[in-house]
Amino acid sequence: MKEYESIVLSADERQAALEERLFRELRERIAGELPRLKRAARPAALLDVLQALATAALENDFIRPELSDEKELDVKDGRHPVVEKYYLAEPFVPNDLYLGPDETFILLTGPNMAGKSTYLRQNALIVLTAQIGSFVPAREARVGVVDRIFTRIGAADDLARGRSTFLVEMSETANILRNATERSLILLDEVGRGTSTYDGVSLAWAVSEHVAKNVGARTLFATHYHELAALADAEIGIVNYTVRATEHNGTVKFLRKVTRGVSDRSYGIQVARLAGLPPDIVAQARRILADFEGGVMPAPEHYEDQVALFAGRTPVLEEFLARVNPDEITPLEALELLFKLKGLAEGE
Ligand SMILES: Nc1ncnc2c1ncn2[C@@H]1O[C@H](COP(=O)(O)OP(=O)(O)O)[C@@H](O)[C@H]1O
Ligand SMILES: [Mg+2]
């Protein structure tokens, strides 16, 4: 019994020791063959990448881009490979892009939700995939090789590291200004949105002017501040484009088509309505907007007769109204708020 006991009790240990020995032996055998294994793995990996790119190109109707050393970027019917495949109920609207020696900087205006960010990203993806040797999602594409792609794109808040959205935005922009060259591609998405409108527009303006005049990199700048369109200047290569939207009976319709020109309105209130903001709040916002646009500083007493409408406001709604800034909010946060509001409406 005693003998048997010690065999059983030490079994685990011996098992572990055996396992370790076998593992070590295997490792040594493999290490001995390392050069051969690596030699075999490299072409297998390359083949894997190339066949994945080929399959993607075949299945998604990509074309072979033409690469050049010119400072150009000429895309016909470009698409965003991920958005077109996974996110859409409606068909994806393809868009052209032209950047060349005399038009280096596109200022893309358009309301929130129009498709500006998608357009920026799809073109950066086309350049990137072209330069890694892949086919690209477009009908035609001439890509002048870029040395780097710089992006300043929102959403990646860095609150965890104690840096405000605006600080992150500005330090990333500063980094771009320090490092971009004439051969770079720069994407600036809503630079300046993280602060007040006037600050934001002024910063965006100065940054754009500097990039166009002194850097000369091919640049796409998306903004819903249509005031910035006044920056367009043929002399330094800044041109206006807009993602078109129309309004019908107070409802905004997004056409998703990028054309030359300027967006005249921001349709913020219409988008808020689409998102399900209660009608009385939307109506109140329209009145305040009319005052702003008429050069009147809105003041509570202008709307006294409307106050009754708001008598039913709950503390949650009150807090919501105080906190929400549609210009700073991400689509995900907007959705969360929508659910909260719905919960509120049902709770009452
Ligand atoms: N070319 C397009 N065709 C169809 N739908 C699009 C297109 N571009 C964008 N969208 C849709 O519109 C939504 C908002 O686009 P986004 O680029 O984020 O707008 P913006 O940056 O102007 O606020 C996207 O999530 C996508 O579903
Ligand atoms: Mg955007």
Side-chain angles (χ1 to χ4, degrees):
M1 286 290 280
K2 198 84 188 139
E3 227 172 80
Y4 196 69
E5 186 193 10
S6 82
I7 290 175
V8 171
L9 286 179
S10 63
D12 258 1
E13 241 166 76
R14 280 179 295 118
Q15 185 192 357
L18 180 62
E19 204 176 304
E20 164 134 15
R21 204 193 71 220
L22 291 173
F23 177 65
R24 212 169 285 188
E25 279 171 15
L26 181 66
R27 223 168 45 182
E28 269 153 31
R29 257 184 69 198
I30 292 176
E33 300 293 339
L34 207 56
R36 271 180 66 202
L37 277 170
K38 274 190 168 165
R39 264 206 312 279
R42 199 158 295 151
L46 184 65
L47 212 60
D48 184 36
V49 169
L50 293 180
Q51 85 76 24
L53 291 177
T55 306
L58 207 63
E59 284 179 355
N60 303 295
D61 210 9
F62 293 0
I63 53 97
R64 183 171 63 187
E66 223 177 291
L67 293 172
S68 80
D69 285 327
E70 307 299 312
K71 241 184 83 176
E72 66 180 343
L73 202 48
D74 192 352
V75 178
K76 299 276 189 294
D77 285 343
R79 286 137 31 217
H80 190 299
V82 182
V83 174
E84 82 166 339
K85 211 169 159 75
Y86 296 107
Y87 291 117
L88 286 181
E90 38 183 322
F92 191 87
V93 179
N95 275 305
D96 298 350
L97 168 74
Y98 175 77
L99 284 170
D102 45 349
E103 293 186 3
T104 54
F105 192 116
I106 285 182
L107 191 83
L108 182 65
T109 47
N112 276 312
M113 280 303 286
K116 301 182 296 299
S117 301
T118 306
Y119 180 73
L120 258 54
R121 288 167 203 214
Q122 87 186 27
N123 286 304
L125 278 172
I126 286 172
V127 170
L128 184 86
T129 43
Q131 286 194 211
I132 63 171
S134 169
F135 279 26
V136 301
R139 182 167 53 78
E140 255 176 62
R142 284 176 58 79
V143 175
V145 173
V146 306
D147 61 359
R148 281 171 86 176
I149 299 175
F150 290 93
T151 63
R152 165 50 229 171
I153 286 175
D157 290 10
D158 203 356
L159 296 176
R161 280 197 286 154
R163 310 203 306 163
S164 77
T165 313
F166 180 61
L167 197 69
V168 174
E169 184 182 317
M170 283 302 122
S171 58
E172 287 185 12
T173 306
N175 178 53
I176 294 175
L177 296 183
R178 273 196 301 274
N179 294 301
T181 76
E182 200 204 352
R183 299 223 61 99
S184 308
L185 174 66
I186 305 180
L187 306 191
L188 301 169
D189 197 348
E190 304 279 8
V191 166
R193 125 185 300 193
T195 182
S196 74
T197 306
Y198 286 136
D199 282 8
V201 170
S202 316
L203 283 164
W205 188 297
V207 166
S208 306
E209 221 169 35
H210 172 79
V211 169
K213 260 193 206 148
N214 306 324
V215 183
R218 280 159 284 176
T219 307
L220 298 170
F221 186 155
T223 178
H224 68 284
Y225 291 141
H226 46 89
E227 294 86 348
L228 277 172
L231 233 177
D233 181 349
E235 212 134 281
I236 54 174
I238 305 185
V239 282
N240 276 322
Y241 279 83
T242 180
V243 194
R244 294 204 3 247
T246 56
E247 188 181 351
H248 185 66
N249 292 339
T251 306
V252 57
K253 178 159 172 39
F254 298 113
L255 304 177
R256 316 267 180 232
K257 203 68 196 165
V258 174
T259 52
R260 260 179 197 272
V262 182
S263 103
D264 48 342
R265 322 236 336 242
S266 51
Y267 298 101
I269 293 181
Q270 289 83 343
V271 174
R273 196 184 120 174
L274 276 185
L277 212 65
D280 50 349
I281 297 177
V282 172
Q284 174 75 332
R286 275 189 209 285
R287 284 188 287 270
I288 298 173
L289 178 66
D291 270 1
F292 270 126
E293 288 179 343
V296 182
M297 246 350 235
E301 56 270 23
H302 295 180
Y303 315 110
E304 246 154 31
D305 49 335
Q306 270 95 44
V307 165
L309 277 176
F310 289 83
R313 286 206 318 213
T314 65
V316 186
L317 193 53
E318 204 75 68
E319 187 201 298
F320 166 80
L321 286 173
R323 279 210 336 237
V324 169
N325 178 350
D327 282 347
E328 284 177 354
I329 191 169
T330 68
L332 197 66
E333 286 165 352
L335 200 64
E336 268 170 24
L337 280 168
L338 191 57
F339 277 114
K340 256 199 208 155
L341 272 175
K342 187 151 194 297
L344 243 177
E346 282 164 359
E348 278 166 11

